[in-house]
């Protein structure tokens, strides 16, 4: 779902800054962890791909998979996250300046009221632990941090609109919600540039097309 979220967030950011000439490249796969990202043989390391993309800013979304380790895994997660922060910020992927890093927490788990699905209580207990750990580490290293867990925990208590498919995977409505939360956290509520619904849809379709070809190239 990272690709869909990035698509929605990219649309909002491109709308905010129509003259920004930004390039977005999604390097994430489902199941990625801060120090463990499964790829095929000779795929290339994260650093190699960030250099290929000449990244100025890295938006890193971790913590969900790691949270299944619970309390026993918390200290290890913080250590790995600190190492990731120090390494990433020391790199000059664009060959000019050190990389800027933004950390984003996992979303909360939604209770769908379905007896075949978890109710999310245990998930949210663990997710809160890991979100707080990310927040603490980010503050210690002066890294921008977006807490998605807290606002989505409240929003996901609502059953309409249905924000997730199974408690975790976001629907289109869920992606809009999360993208809006990230956009406002990073840039504030003001929208210096507005678009009509038709213009926004044309922008979204253009981004969808670009991301289709990028995904297959990646």
């Amino acid at each position: 779902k990272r690709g869909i979220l990035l698509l929605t967030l990219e649309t909002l950011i491109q709308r905010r800054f129509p003259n920004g000439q930004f390039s977005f490249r999604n390097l994430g796969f489902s199941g990625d962890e801060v120090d463990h990202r499964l790829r095929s043989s000779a795929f290339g390391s994260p650093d190699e791909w960030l250099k290929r993309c000449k990244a100025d800013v890295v938006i890193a979304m971790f913590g969900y998979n790691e949270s299944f380790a619970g309390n026993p895994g918390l200290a290890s997660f913080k250590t790995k996250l600190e190492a990731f922060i120090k390494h990433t910020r020391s790199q000059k992927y664009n060959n000019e300046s050190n990389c800027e890093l933004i950390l984003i927490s996992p979303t909360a788990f939604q209770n769908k009221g379905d007896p075949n699905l978890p109710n999310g209580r245990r998930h949210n207990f663990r997710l809160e632990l890991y979100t707080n750990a990310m927040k603490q580490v980010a503050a210690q290293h002066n890294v921008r941090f977006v807490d998605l867990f807290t606002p989505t925990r409240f929003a996901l208590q609502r059953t309409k609109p249905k924000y997730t498919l199974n408690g975790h995977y976001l629907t289109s409505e869920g992606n809009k919600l999360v993208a809006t939360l990230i956009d406002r956290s990073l840039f504030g509520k003001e929208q210096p540039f507005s678009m009509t619904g038709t213009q926004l849809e044309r922008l979204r379709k253009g981004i969808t097309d670009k991301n289709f070809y990028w995904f297959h190239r990646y």
Side-chain angles (χ1 to χ4, degrees), residues 89 137-144:
R89 296 176 79 189
V137 173
Q140 289 172 348
H141 294 274
N142 197 28
V143 173
R144 296 192 72 178

Side-chain angles (χ1 to χ4, degrees), residues 54-96:
K54 298 181 179 180
D56 302 299
V57 180
V58 171
I59 300 176
M61 303 177 180
F62 294 113
Y64 183 84
N65 261 32
E66 293 92 335
S67 72
F68 284 96
N71 241 324
L74 201 57
S76 176
F77 173 68
K78 292 170 71 174
T79 299
K80 293 173 181 178
L81 186 61
E82 286 185 329
F84 169 76
I85 290 172
K86 291 176 182 178
H87 174 80
T88 303
R89 296 176 79 189
S90 69
Q91 303 302 303
K92 295 183 178 180
Y93 298 121
N94 61 11
N95 297 319
E96 295 179 1

Side-chain angles (χ1 to χ4, degrees), residues 204-217:
R204 188 193 66 80
K205 286 183 177 179
I207 292 171
T208 302
D209 191 47
K210 180 267 294 181
N211 283 347
F212 172 84
Y213 289 104
W214 164 252
F215 175 80
H216 288 282
R217 183 179 180 86

